[in-house]
Amino acid sequence: MTDRPDFRSGFVAILGKPNTGKSTLMNRILGEKVSITSPKPQTTRYAIKGILNREDCQVVFIDTPGYLEPRYEMQQRMRRIWSEAFQGVDLILFMSDVLRFPTDFDNQVLELLKNVNIPQIAVFNKIDLKPELSRAAFTERLPGSICETRFISARIGEGIPELLEALLRFVPFHEPYYQEDQLSDLPLRFFAQEVIREGIFHLLQQEIPYATAVLIERFKEEEGRTVIDAVIWLERQSQKVILIGKRGEGLAKIRVYAEKQLSEFLQVPVQVHLWVKVNPGWRKKSTALKELGFG
Ligand SMILES: Nc1nc2c(ncn2[C@@H]2O[C@H](COP(=O)(O)OP(=O)(O)OP(=O)(O)O)[C@@H](O)[C@H]2O)c(=O)[nH]1
Ligand SMILES: [Mg+2]
């Protein structure tokens, strides 16, 4: 923009192994929850954009799913999302954590990044769990394609302003790509779906969250409140029984969780209605994946 020649705007992709804190970092930078997080790996299923708007810059972060070997078709889709996330980005944040580095996974990603001609910063997260560490032991294992290394705690916010200043140097002078009050490119329906999925990740054990897809059937903004109808899809009848719980208590907890999170975010009372349905093997079927919004 001619009146703001010093304004920077660009795209930064965050990638790395599952559960390392990519989504937590993006939310921390934005100061808002845009991408869902959980203690379980492979929480994020889509590349999710979160937009940081400041007086002097607009940075579009792309939070990607932790990548794994394509055992299921869903994981192949994740891998595709990942390579698409590289396109047109100005900077890649390679994210790992100080607890386990380098894993095979880290090494594979770093190997791949060697041949990617985009500036890269290595970010080691979770320093709150290991305050005493030899930073050199991490940096010496990084390939030449990494131009800087940062140690942070996304959870407590340590090292975040410094990381932001470092990454801004790689963001070009450019006018903003999005409106300057926009936080994400996601529709609210999608956000609602993700928050319900987050509730399931937090409240249910083991394989059930991974066997779950959520579909919003109705998202209605009424006078003074928002009403959301959603279907939770599962693979087996037995999972449905567990999810619903005794006298429906399990399902009620998910509903209360989603209503609380969504009311806080939307700043209006939110009423959520949930249904649970079974579609065996939805994870492996392309058509089912499309219907469920993984298209
Ligand atoms: N102690 C600690 N925990 C953290 C930190 N950052 C994230 N976590 C936790 O690590 C877990 C995983 O965080 P996510 O942000 O969901 O991780 P992710 O990399 O997005 O994971 P996927 O979406 O599965 O690839 C959550 O329980 C977070 O609360 C940190 O700085 N310190
Ligand atoms: Mg994530």
Side-chain angles (χ1 to χ4, degrees):
M1 252 174 216
T2 45
D3 57 334
R4 287 190 294 175
D6 296 338
F7 195 87
R8 289 177 188 268
S9 189
F11 293 79
V12 176
I14 309 174
L15 49 100
K17 64 191 168 195
N19 208 40
T20 204
K22 299 178 293 298
S23 304
T24 309
L25 171 64
M26 185 170 86
N27 294 342
R28 165 66 68 179
I29 290 174
L30 302 180
E32 290 271 1
K33 182 162 89 188
V34 170
S35 195
I36 64 167
T37 66
S38 93
K40 297 188 176 68
Q42 289 197 279
T43 303
T44 306
R45 279 187 196 160
Y46 319 83
I48 292 184
K49 289 199 187 94
I51 305 168
L52 173 73
N53 288 297
R54 291 197 335 194
E55 290 268 291
D56 57 341
C57 66
Q58 179 180 75
V59 186
V60 183
F61 290 91
I62 307 165
D63 175 25
T64 63
Y67 159 80
L68 279 186
E69 285 303 309
R71 263 183 299 146
Y72 293 109
E73 187 173 351
M74 194 165 88
Q75 284 171 354
Q76 284 175 7
R77 278 164 198 270
M78 283 183 173
R79 196 170 53 160
R80 202 185 62 213
I81 290 170
W82 220 54
S83 55
E84 280 169 7
F86 283 164
Q87 319 247 323
V89 301
D90 300 292
L91 177 70
I92 291 173
L93 298 184
F94 161 75
M95 197 151 170
S96 188
D97 57 64
V98 293
L99 303 180
R100 285 173 299 273
F101 177 82
T103 61
D104 286 351
F105 188 100
D106 289 312
N107 287 330
Q108 277 176 36
V109 180
L110 289 171
E111 196 55 41
L112 190 131
L113 288 179
K114 272 188 200 164
N115 302 315
V116 175
N117 196 16
I118 300 169
Q120 298 156 23
I121 296 181
V123 179
F124 291 101
N125 190 27
K126 309 197 184 181
I127 51 169
D128 55 306
L129 297 178
K130 206 173 169 187
E132 304 287 324
L133 56 89
S134 151
R135 296 190 173 192
F138 290 85
T139 47
E140 70 194 14
R141 290 192 159 93
L142 296 171
S145 60
I146 302 279
C147 24
E148 267 190 66
T149 307
R150 296 278 151 176
F151 292 82
I152 63 157
S153 169
R155 183 178 276 178
I156 64 172
E158 201 174 325
I160 304 298
E162 295 82 1
L163 171 63
L164 252 180
E165 290 319 304
L167 70 81
L168 267 179
R169 290 198 289 274
F170 295 91
V171 176
F173 294 111
H174 196 279
E175 57 193 75
Y177 290 90
Y178 292 89
Q179 276 185 358
E180 286 176 74
D181 55 359
Q182 207 173 325
L183 184 62
S184 174
D185 66 339
L186 300 178
L188 285 177
R189 290 174 85 95
F190 179 84
F191 182 69
Q193 165 195 313
E194 288 290 272
V195 166
I196 296 168
R197 226 160 52 71
E198 183 177 64
I200 296 167
F201 264 83
H202 280 275
L203 297 165
L204 284 144
Q205 300 299 313
Q206 287 153 20
E207 95 283 4
I208 294 195
Y210 300 103
T212 304
V214 175
L215 201 64
I216 304 295
E217 303 244 299
R218 185 169 72 125
F219 188 107
K220 194 149 184 277
E221 285 164 276
E222 295 177 351
E223 187 78 19
R225 69 170 190 169
T226 296
V227 182
I228 297 168
D229 295 349
V231 176
I232 299 174
W233 286 95
L234 290 165
E235 289 180 315
R236 291 201 299 276
Q237 186 61 27
S238 57
Q239 294 162 339
K240 177 173 171 177
V241 173
I242 297 172
L243 185 133
I244 291 177
K246 264 192 212 137
R247 292 186 300 273
E249 281 164 10
L251 194 60
K253 279 192 189 145
I254 298 166
R255 179 177 53 73
V256 169
Y257 182 94
E259 285 178 344
K260 181 166 180 293
Q261 297 277 326
L262 290 166
S263 314
E264 277 169 18
F265 187 80
L266 299 173
Q267 302 277 300
V268 287
V270 175
Q271 209 176 347
V272 175
H273 304 126
L274 298 175
W275 284 264
V276 185
K277 295 185 184 172
V278 175
N279 179 359
W282 66 260
R283 233 193 301 206
K284 296 192 188 81
K285 287 188 201 157
S286 295
T287 46
L289 280 166
K290 282 216 182 71
E291 276 164 29
L292 298 171
F294 291 101

